[in-house]
Amino acid sequence: MEEERSYSPGELFMLTVLWHIKTSEHNLVDPNLPGVRFDIILALVAFLTLIKLFLQFEFTPSFGPLYKMLQRMLGELMKFLVIWSIQLVMFAAVAVLAFGSLETFSDFNSSIVYFVEASLGNFDMENFESPNQNLYLLGEYFQVLFLLINLILMLNLVIAILSKSFSVMSLHANGLYCDTLVKNFGHNE
C-alpha cells in the first residue's frame, strides 16, 4: 500500500501554478497576452523561499553568529547612508546652482541621478563642456572634488565603520548565537 505524501501550502501553490501553466490553452508566460502572469508569481515565490532559507541560517552554529553580525552591521550602514545622502544632496544642489545651464544639471532630480551614477563609477567629464571655458574648468574641478570625496573618503569611511563593527562583534560571536537560541527556543515562565 502506497502512502500519500502531504504537501505544505507553499508546495501546493507551486504545483497548482505549474499545473495551470502546463494545461492552459494559452501561453501564460508570454507578457504580450492578457491575463495572469504566472512567471512573475513564480519568481516572487522563489524569492520569498530563498529569503525564508536565509532567515533559517540564524539557527545554525556556523552561520548564526555571522547572521547576527550582519544584522547589527546594517544599523551602522544605515548611519553611513544618511551621511552619504547628505553629501550627495549637497553636491547635487551646488551643481544645479552652478551648472544649471548645462542639460545634465538643469534640475535637481537629474543632478541627483548623475551623482549617484558617478559614485558608482559611471561619470563623464564631457557633461561640463560649455562655450564658457571658465565653466568647463570649474566643472572639471568640481567633478574631481566629488570623486575624491565620494570614492576615497566615503568608501574608506564605510570600510572603517564595518570593520570596527565586525571586530567588536566577532569577540562576542558565540554569545550572539546563544542569545538568539535562548530568545527563540527558551522557555518563558
Side-chain angles (χ1 to χ4, degrees), residues 3 17 25 34 47 72 90 104 125:
E3 290 184 35
V17 168
E25 297 174 8
F47 175 75
R72 296 208 179 168
M90 177 197 70
T104 306
M125 296 298 248

Side-chain angles (χ1 to χ4, degrees), residues 4-188:
E4 283 190 34
R5 180 171 187 252
S6 63
Y7 294 102
S8 71
E11 290 173 324
L12 284 175
F13 176 75
M14 295 276 288
L15 289 172
T16 305
V17 168
L18 290 172
W19 179 80
H20 279 291
I21 290 173
K22 184 178 179 184
T23 60
S24 175
E25 297 174 8
H26 305 289
N27 182 4
L28 297 176
V29 181
D30 186 5
N32 298 323
L33 294 175
V36 178
R37 293 276 315 270
F38 283 108
D39 58 335
I40 294 174
I41 295 171
L42 283 173
L44 180 66
V45 169
F47 175 75
L48 293 176
T49 304
L50 290 173
I51 291 294
K52 182 179 177 183
L53 177 69
F54 180 73
L55 293 176
Q56 295 303 316
F57 284 154
E58 183 178 10
F59 303 113
T60 62
S62 57
F63 290 113
L66 292 174
Y67 180 81
K68 291 300 280 185
M69 283 185 217
L70 281 175
Q71 227 176 12
R72 296 208 179 168
M73 281 182 179
L74 282 177
E76 299 292 326
L77 190 60
M78 290 302 138
K79 292 175 189 174
F80 167 77
L81 286 177
V82 168
I83 294 170
W84 182 73
S85 299
I86 290 171
Q87 70 94 22
L88 192 70
V89 167
M90 177 197 70
F91 273 101
V94 170
V96 168
L97 293 173
F99 308 107
S101 60
L102 302 175
E103 183 181 342
T104 306
F105 307 106
S106 60
D107 64 351
F108 188 71
N109 291 337
S110 62
S111 184
I112 285 279
V113 169
Y114 175 77
F115 283 112
V116 168
E117 288 178 354
S119 66
L120 296 174
N122 185 18
F123 59 90
D124 188 11
M125 296 298 248
E126 294 176 4
N127 284 330
F128 295 101
E129 285 185 1
S130 170
N132 185 351
Q133 186 66 23
N134 292 335
L135 187 64
Y136 177 70
L137 287 174
L138 181 65
E140 282 187 342
Y141 291 138
F142 183 72
Q143 179 72 31
V144 169
L145 177 68
F146 172 77
L147 292 174
L148 285 174
I149 289 175
N150 200 42
L151 297 179
I152 295 175
L153 293 178
M154 291 303 219
L155 187 60
N156 284 329
L157 179 65
V158 75
I159 290 170
I161 288 170
L162 294 180
S163 65
K164 180 179 182 261
S165 298
F166 183 80
S167 65
V168 166
M169 285 182 232
S170 65
L171 298 173
H172 308 292
N174 289 333
L176 291 170
Y177 172 65
C178 293
D179 183 48
T180 300
L181 292 179
V182 168
K183 284 182 182 175
N184 289 304
F185 300 114
H187 297 287
N188 295 334

